[in-house]
Amino acid sequence: MITAGSLAPTTKPGPSGPDWAMRLDAWWRAANYLSVGQIYLLDNPLLREPLQSHHVKPRLLGHWGTVPGLTLTYAHLSRIIMARKQKMLLVAGPGHGAAGLNAAAWLEGTYSEFYPEVGQDLDGMRRLFRQFSFPGGVPSHASAHLPGSIHEGGELGYCLAHATGAALDNPDLVVACVVGDGEAETGPLATSWHATAFLDPVRDGAVLPILHLNGYKIANPTLLSRMPRHELNSLLIGHGWRPVEVTGTDPQEIHEAYADALSLCLNGIFEIQGSARAGRVHGGRRWPMIVLRTPKGWTGPDVVDGKQVQGSWRSHQVPLAAVREDAHHLALLEQWLRSYRPEELFEADGSPVPLVRDHRPLGTLRLSANPVAHGHTQRDLRLPEPFAHRVELTEPGKVVAESTRLLGEYLREALRLNRDQHNLLLFAPDEHASNRLDAVFAETGRRWQLATEPGDDHLAHDGRVFEVLSEHLCQGWLEGYLLTGRHGLLSSYEAFAHVVDSMVGQHAKWLHTAAQVPWRRPVPSLNYLLTSHVWRQDHNGASHQDPGFVDHVLNKRPEVVRVYFPPDANCLLAVADHCLRSRGLINVIVSGKQPALQYLDSRRAAAHCAQGLGVWRWASTDLDGDTDVVLACAGDVPTQETLAAVEVLREFVPDLRVRVVNVVDLARLAQPEVHPHGLEDTAYREIFTEDKPVIFTYHGYPWLIHRLTYRRPGHEHLHVHGFHENGTTTTPFDMCVLNEIDRFHLALAALERVPRVAGRLGHIRQQLLDRLAEHQEHIRRTGEDLPEIRDWTWNG
Amino acid sequence: MITAGSLAPTTKPGPSGPDWAMRLDAWWRAANYLSVGQIYLLDNPLLREPLQSHHVKPRLLGHWGTVPGLTLTYAHLSRIIMARKQKMLLVAGPGHGAAGLNAAAWLEGTYSEFYPEVGQDLDGMRRLFRQFSFPGGVPSHASAHLPGSIHEGGELGYCLAHATGAALDNPDLVVACVVGDGEAETGPLATSWHATAFLDPVRDGAVLPILHLNGYKIANPTLLSRMPRHELNSLLIGHGWRPVEVTGTDPQEIHEAYADALSLCLNGIFEIQGSARAGRVHGGRRWPMIVLRTPKGWTGPDVVDGKQVQGSWRSHQVPLAAVREDAHHLALLEQWLRSYRPEELFEADGSPVPLVRDHRPLGTLRLSANPVAHGHTQRDLRLPEPFAHRVELTEPGKVVAESTRLLGEYLREALRLNRDQHNLLLFAPDEHASNRLDAVFAETGRRWQLATEPGDDHLAHDGRVFEVLSEHLCQGWLEGYLLTGRHGLLSSYEAFAHVVDSMVGQHAKWLHTAAQVPWRRPVPSLNYLLTSHVWRQDHNGASHQDPGFVDHVLNKRPEVVRVYFPPDANCLLAVADHCLRSRGLINVIVSGKQPALQYLDSRRAAAHCAQGLGVWRWASTDLDGDTDVVLACAGDVPTQETLAAVEVLREFVPDLRVRVVNVVDLARLAQPEVHPHGLEDTAYREIFTEDKPVIFTYHGYPWLIHRLTYRRPGHEHLHVHGFHENGTTTTPFDMCVLNEIDRFHLALAALERVPRVAGRLGHIRQQLLDRLAEHQEHIRRTGEDLPEIRDWTWNG
């Protein structure tokens, strides 16, 4: 391990002058002072009078432990940005140290530019302090309110993936990423170190991880701080990094070491990028990174009530907890605050003294003012005509196509149109070929920096397709890419989207908050294609059958979530095009990849998807009289079985009047006050009736439909068929039967609710059950669906 | 890296005799033959007649690529088990290679013991083949149907955590764990290597990871197979392992190398355990592991249609896809099958020849017959009297207690009672002290094998409390521990339980399947305590506020899921005791840790929790007449606000007749045909009425309550208040107000639905809103809740 501290201390020349360490240290003290102020003070921000308990907040909320390391890092990053005019973005894994980041943004002036009421003066400082973790104020974490942040850091584990995503296609950017040693224990972070196998030194910017070992979590040591140093070094080298250690408890020594380390790292980065960009050797390089060891809660109270606080887990949150009640704690707090010598750092009017104020890069080079973080560097996506690769059909239900294969062609064109813009990437944990999106490989390759071998398929240093068997990495990289203003799509096996449930939840919260922040430009939407879905995982069995991701997504703020079930390929094209054009949303598209019947030509698909739902008159038999029953469906397999049920009914009960409704945009089912896409009750009633039985066949868990419609007129007549967790390895049709969404069960369910066929019901039921039993016997005997099931087409 | 293959080949003595390699190879060929047979054959299992297309399954479902490595490993593990009489358990990460594991269990005889219809004869072999991935047959993955399996392996990433959990408290067991190189890219697996920091060489068994690098995923190389070898070695060493490499493409060489490697590893394991158990040095050891490099689809078709298949991603699933249609493929299949020389391996009656049959350990030493895997080695948990540490109270709503703190005392007693049984462990990603369960540290410590430092708190080599900042590891370890028949509890911040959404989904599927397998004994339930919940994450803000985990859990099979909302500490004790005594379930308990009012003494708590819900007559005001409105609640904060709303109503509308209902067991709200805990409609009606307005204040997303009750009588009168994703850093009461579950909004909601107060409504509404505004103004001014909110008690 290279220990930067072992290099001879030198005077750093450059824009900060020979007294750079003194200036940097003053800035650091100021940032720490302002951080402690945010955690504790309601008033008396500059201690112009002796500290009294009524100056202190009644509820002390915040996390001090990680702050001094964050502010130290910020100070050093600012120094090297000034010295080199280097564009940098900071991703702070320990987002709970937001007090430190707020302080930095305030010192840089950005905070006051974005929030004029929090000026760089005494009153502004008072507001800065008071609002922190305060009702009606700003959160305790690095949320979308914070200038320069793309990462809240509340749920831990995603900082390095976000940093990697931000670096992609940003060749001039260095993304510094503080990784907390607690966070480093999470699975997503542990696999994020593999970024070295994907980052292209030519097309991408660099990621500079700063693993901050302050040794403790809430009340526990951390693994990475306590493993033998050579093992930690080995672990990082094993992932393709070149760690540079910065260790110490003496600020002056640390300043020298940290400055040297950052220089070493940037030089290393430029060397790798330079040689790759000059067309010289591409692989075999290790990216530099920093291992920073400083005490937890450094510069804070050392010993409190006889217990060690600084350098211990006791400084994780609020080191002095009883300040309002305990005069000794109050005195310790005052002593702590004064230890930063605020009188040297701030003018009488509260503004930073020039020494402190000038320790900042100019304009948008400030970490808190990087336009990349605020969505201001977007290049609009160029998208092809969505139906350039449509399915041609003259009547519904005759042509077979694989929906995702057509989408692959659309995506290939989109990649081609944006070839020079470098603003569209595709991600999949289970691979684009498996998801039948492989047309994209005519335009680009799979991103790969490791060794290649004969027989490898479309690996490329600069490929725009990312495949890694980690939903977390795909999601985290895509989030980082989107949050810096670019576009993308994540395709996944439907069941395994649950792996990133918590991540999408955090992203939804970010989007919802960011939409309320006027200086943030809305960023492109997070688009999911869930394919290999529950009804066609008949070959992989129960573990691959779970349609619940959309339930989870629909629990999030309705302003930011959309869920689509295109019934066929042309509808998928229409929906995907719509989603890729949108901003600020989470769009979930569920669509199978298997050969399936096609129903709508491109004109009808466009109109149907624009409506989001509608009556399919061509499939309905109620055109000449009162409707007996409504058969509704959402999802490609439900649509197929619903239409087949109509045929079954036509055969067995020719006089039955059936209306067919297809739903693409699931939120249309909700009322407008519940979801912005919600349909008015009157329109809903026109489609579903309010007094006829509705047999609704839904792709997923049936209660989701009830949840969306329970206040609708006629809800008592709504009967939903869907997935009941009855799954295994079997045939596609048998999967439907096991969950009673097959054509026979649907036909029966419809008939049972039509009073005027009650007299014939017993007879028809027996016929239907016999027919079903015949199919089932065939399936269990031969292992395949009967031709009339397998090759069924719509006869209208 | 130690390369076992470089050791001089030796003849291994021992029970298998000098021709061990020949025997082992024969067994391996037999297992591979049987695997290919399962993927392809309907009939003609031993190729007694020329292979014809009608002998082949119509749908070819399975994964060949990983099988030969799995069967090779199985053969070698069996050899060393025979040689050393070593108890071993096999966890196969690539569970999609189940054909190989089925084959092994059939060769060991276990399959026929558990499934007599699949005998060790020709007919049995035919059934073994036919049933695989076949309708009505067995799944394509290593599900609960498979003897010896505790791990389905459908969703990748959890094998090493499961293996670690199985090894805990099983000092005589070696858990071999095959880690696929695809799976190794996942986050959960990447952090699972840290197991070395937790496994106690004295009390625990050993985990023997076998990292199987066959190089490819579906259509892509894997990271770990393509990184430079020294980097992979470095990565593993960095995590505390000592890798032994086994590489090759020649079976005889591999057999020698693999046997040597396993001997090396077991010797290494015993050395570490021996020295630790003799009381000599504990730390500083590296556990041995194997890195196995063999071609993907080894021994399968080499080149098909001009394309390389063996040793390539093309052998991932079914290497010959068109066997029924393409005579050349059919011929290749026959050639492939015959390459194993089945005539040497099986008798005329289909049973394995003695050479093959005898390559197996005796009785329960067989990997497929390990009673640990089938739940047959359970020691019943001893549990204390649940109310030994109850809250004493003489009237409701006066005493304050922290619910989880009492639970900590209960858990401490439980740990004490089972001290000699070693069958109870506790897990938490965010630490027991933070969750106020720290009473347990009077009995045990935090598990830790790394260095310790002064100031560390209760670290212990053999601690029964596991704390690591990874929900995935906590969940995976606990699952492995439970699936091998022991007991445990996972406490987590409520919001971050979503991190393991997908894992709990997979566990639910396993439990549901396992319950149908008669030779598996039900294993202890997976118990969650979700604390630090949405209403009291006012200090951490929005990222920590998400009550949706229970929604996800309630999407799973109702037979295996339970959700509890104990309203106070005594109820938490009753519920936790009940859950720890249960088997085969997933129990989710949601309970805050903050000081809160207590309502029920232990007798009433026991009765109330046994009922699961009920009218709280002491809090109701409808005892002398018709009910005007029902106020129902589920969750501790909703209960508090509901009771406070009753008081508000009593003050402003003294003549209002309110019924208070509290729900502990959420599934009671569902109908009995929907969930086994569901209440009959008549009982539901008695509690909730069918014609009165019900204001239901629920802890989480309100639509969950609608979903459970939409078919209930009177559902149209049910109005649910809950969490609407309105969260930030603020006061506890303000969190309630933001989501309108505070006492004033609830009181208003009730009043608005009682016709007989309509005349007074305008006036009362204004008074209530004024009172609320006064509170809000105070909160925003001072940062704290008003004393009458903060210190509110029930005045009845």
Side-chain angles (χ1 to χ4, degrees), chain A residues 304-336:
Chain A
V304 179
D305 301 336
K307 293 195 166 133
Q308 186 64 42
V309 171
Q310 195 186 131
S312 136
W313 48 267
R314 290 195 189 85
S315 60
H316 180 69
Q317 292 194 18
V318 179
L320 298 162
V323 181
R324 292 247 282 204
E325 302 79 34
D326 181 330
H328 176 59
H329 279 207
L330 185 69
L332 282 177
L333 173 60
E334 183 163 5
Q335 185 184 324
W336 175 15

Side-chain angles (χ1 to χ4, degrees), chain B residues 440-512:
Chain B
V440 298
F441 296 123
E443 169 62 23
T444 189
R446 297 177 167 100
R447 180 64 68 95
W448 191 254
Q449 313 301 324
L450 299 176
T452 56
E453 288 184 12
D456 283 345
D457 189 30
H458 287 99
L459 301 185
H461 286 307
D462 60 351
R464 307 197 68 74
V465 169
F466 286 71
E467 296 182 348
V468 61
L469 211 165
S470 167
E471 286 78 5
H472 292 111
L473 284 185
C474 288
Q475 170 93 14
W477 292 343
L478 176 54
E479 285 180 359
Y481 196 67
L482 299 173
L483 288 166
T484 48
R486 286 79 59 80
H487 306 257
L489 175 76
L490 194 167
S491 65
S492 171
Y493 277 34
E494 182 187 45
F496 304 143
H498 273 310
V499 171
V500 292
D501 272 4
S502 58
M503 293 182 80
V504 71
Q506 297 295 331
H507 192 71
K509 287 172 186 283
W510 178 278
L511 291 178
H512 179 56

